[in-house]
Amino acid sequence: MNPILEMAKSRFKAKKVIAVMSAKGGVGKSTIASLIALNLSERQKTALIDLDIYGNSTLKLFGINKLHEVSKEGIEPFLVSNLSIYSIGGLVGDHYVVLPGKDEGNVVESLLGLANVKEDLVVIDTPPGMGEELLTLSRVLDPEIYLVTLPSKLSLKIVKHMLDYLFDLGLKPKMILANMSFLNTTNGRIYPFGELEPVKELGEEFDIRVECLQFDPSIEEFVGRIQDYNGVLKEELARFLICKE
Amino acid sequence: MHEWAIAMSVVSSVEKWALERNAKVKKVLLSIPSLSMLEVEILREAFNVIKKDSKIADAELEVIVRDQNFSCRACGNKFTLKDIRSQLEPILRDFGEENPLHVVPALITTFAKCPKCSSHDFEVDSSIKVEAVEI
Ligand SMILES: Nc1ncnc2c1ncn2[C@@H]1O[C@H](COP(=O)(O)OP(=O)(O)OP(=O)(O)O)[C@@H](O)[C@H]1O
Ligand SMILES: [Mg+2]
Ligand SMILES: [Zn+2]
């Protein structure tokens, strides 16, 4: 019997969990997960869990470089207004992380089991790919999946594999977010990855809603203080979250 | 401190197990890795407090502290916690009581290397598990 896994399962059983995923790296998962969590936290206390044990992008986006407090009840969050943030980076501090194979899963399991999450609404940022972290996540809970991709051919090919895999598991993502789809300039709209038809077709093929997010160069200024960002990307995500309900 | 959280997880998972079988639990055998530096006395104290509000109020907790066998995947070397203790001193010093290995022992490969070939790629069972339940 694995008590930590049991605890993780029962902790999340009655919660609504949104997982932001992609088989492809660097497509904007962490940025989007943070902005979704910030949007939700404006209405209701929300937790954001960073399962990217190597990158810990969440902490970097929010400019957090402290260590988690550990209490009788487990790992205590970093608080940013109404948002509670948990990350392995908050345990190891400024140290690289090396984990062979299934230790990755054990670390994820420990974080999910010991994080003292009290909020009913949880957003999870995941690492790229379909590795141990994802397997562990699906061992513990059953999330609503937001699949992030670029509208590029390469990204779409890789994300299609993930869709096949998720469908095999009986999991259907709630939405495909085609990030960095276009850029508004004074000379009109630019499509850095070309036409948006292919991503829309992918959505049709799997019967999943597709939403296109724009490229916002101003995001860069908010790395380290994403909680202060109120730009278009956050607005767009807020709109998708609302019309969904 | 998170010994309390662990004790909580043990009580609730054994309670669930017992309810499913309609069993009366006499003893719970918990196995913890020595590298976690969990305090057995706190675990037991917490278990005894938490169990009172559960369906396993009569259960006694026995804790086994496992000495791990480490096995290097790069060079095949077998070693023990004793052999890497000196490597862990800086972490114990810098992080204090709530060091990362105490909270998540599976992070061991991040902070230690094989004493023979310096690889981080070694195997060790760092899990916390209920080995047996006596009814
Ligand atoms: N819509 C956007 N407009 C402009 N920049 C963006 C947008 N989305 C993401 N970025 C930028 O792209 C980079 C990658 O984003 P992010 O780290 O969120 O991706 P990721 O998918 O989480 O990466 P990883 O796979 O490494 O976890 C970052 O520099 C981020 O600021
Ligand atoms: Mg990321
Ligand atoms: Zn070795």
Side-chain angles (χ1 to χ4, degrees):
Chain A
M1 200 184 300
N2 176 347
I4 307 256
L5 174 62
E6 292 301 323
M7 177 131 96
K9 283 183 183 167
S10 66
R11 187 187 302 286
F12 291 98
K13 199 184 275 165
K15 299 187 193 296
K16 174 166 172 165
V17 182
I18 290 175
V20 180
M21 296 185 181
S22 182
K24 187 86 176 75
V27 295
K29 294 178 291 298
S30 301
T31 308
I32 289 171
S34 299
L35 294 177
I36 290 178
L38 283 166
N39 271 323
L40 294 172
S41 74
E42 285 170 10
R43 286 186 281 160
Q44 181 183 342
K45 283 197 171 177
T46 305
L48 173 59
I49 305 179
D50 176 10
L51 289 192
D52 189 351
I53 46 191
Y54 303 105
N56 305 139
S57 302
T58 304
L59 297 185
K60 296 178 180 94
L61 284 170
F62 282 87
I64 297 168
N65 44 24
K66 288 183 295 189
L67 292 175
H68 279 300
E69 305 251 328
V70 182
S71 77
K72 266 184 165 181
E73 294 183 86
I75 301 170
E76 298 297 340
F78 300 113
L79 295 176
V80 177
S81 302
N82 259 337
L83 190 60
S84 299
I85 302 174
Y86 303 85
S87 170
I88 283 295
L91 291 176
V92 301
D94 197 12
H95 194 292
Y96 60 81
V97 173
V98 198
L99 295 169
K102 71 181 175 37
D103 286 334
E104 277 180 0
N106 291 335
V107 167
V108 168
E109 201 173 276
S110 301
L111 182 65
L112 294 173
L114 293 171
N116 186 22
V117 181
K118 296 250 196 296
E119 296 75 14
D120 295 326
L121 202 49
V122 182
V123 180
I124 297 187
D125 178 25
T126 66
M130 304 190 279
E132 263 302 316
E133 294 91 340
L134 224 57
L135 293 176
T136 305
L137 185 64
S138 36
R139 200 151 72 220
V140 171
L141 50 84
D142 182 14
E144 189 172 288
I145 298 168
Y146 284 64
L147 199 58
V148 184
T149 183
L150 301 182
S152 85
K153 286 195 190 99
L154 181 58
S155 187
L156 289 176
K157 281 191 166 66
I158 296 172
V159 163
K160 183 171 184 307
H161 281 303
M162 186 168 220
L163 278 168
D164 287 335
Y165 168 68
L166 292 170
F167 270 72
D168 261 357
L169 294 180
L171 301 173
K172 182 177 171 186
K174 190 93 187 172
M175 207 182 289
I176 295 173
L177 294 168
N179 194 21
M180 311 191 213
S181 284
F182 57 89
L183 170 66
N184 288 329
T185 73
T186 45
N187 298 322
R189 200 167 261 198
I190 295 170
Y191 295 85
F193 299 101
E195 289 298 301
L196 301 180
E197 274 320 306
V199 66
K200 290 184 176 152
E201 283 164 16
L202 185 69
E204 274 161 28
E205 184 185 337
F206 286 87
D207 187 31
I208 300 171
R209 181 175 153 201
V210 175
E211 292 293 350
C212 298
L213 297 167
Q214 64 177 287
F215 187 94
D216 179 4
S218 83
I219 276 275
E220 192 58 26
E221 287 165 43
F222 292 90
V223 173
R225 53 180 191 104
I226 196 156
Q227 56 275 42
D228 299 333
Y229 173 78
N230 279 306
V232 283
L233 198 54
K234 188 174 166 193
E235 277 167 26
E236 281 174 333
L237 285 165
R239 211 163 51 237
F240 303 152
L241 291 169
I242 291 162
C243 31
K244 192 194 74 193
E245 267 145 33
Chain B
M1 257 331 231
H2 77 295
E3 277 88 353
W4 281 79
I6 301 216
M8 182 75 210
S9 74
V10 173
V11 171
S12 59
S13 43
V14 174
E15 182 183 35
K16 184 168 158 246
W17 180 92
L19 285 174
E20 278 163 13
R21 285 160 188 77
N22 202 10
K24 201 162 148 42
V25 178
K26 283 196 208 131
K27 195 177 191 178
V28 176
L29 199 61
L30 180 70
S31 165
I32 59 172
S34 59
L35 69 88
S36 70
M37 295 160 276
L38 286 164
E39 297 230 18
V40 175
E41 267 325 299
I42 307 182
L43 273 173
R44 218 193 317 268
E45 182 199 333
F47 181 89
N48 287 335
V49 171
I50 295 164
K51 75 178 182 184
K52 285 190 189 131
D53 292 321
S54 79
K55 297 279 185 287
I56 58 161
D58 295 327
E60 180 199 332
L61 180 72
E62 185 180 332
V63 183
I64 309 166
V65 182
R66 280 195 328 276
D67 262 323
Q68 286 86 14
N69 298 309
F70 295 71
S71 168
C72 179
R73 298 211 290 187
C75 77
N77 184 28
K78 306 263 187 250
F79 53 102
T80 64
L81 188 59
K82 207 166 75 252
D83 304 315
I84 53 168
R85 185 133 266 160
S86 61
Q87 295 181 35
L88 302 181
E89 269 160 21
I91 311 146
L92 302 184
R93 196 184 54 226
D94 297 348
F95 285 90
E97 200 188 329
E98 298 305 343
N99 72 75
L101 297 179
H102 180 49
V103 186
V104 182
L107 284 166
I108 183 68
T109 50
T110 287
F111 295 100
K113 296 178 203 167
C114 165
K116 197 165 150 200
C117 77
S118 293
S119 170
H120 286 279
D121 191 8
F122 56 80
E123 280 174 354
V124 60
D125 177 6
S126 52
S127 61
I128 292 171
K129 50 194 165 191
V130 173
E131 291 277 11
V133 180
E134 215 173 278
I135 52 175

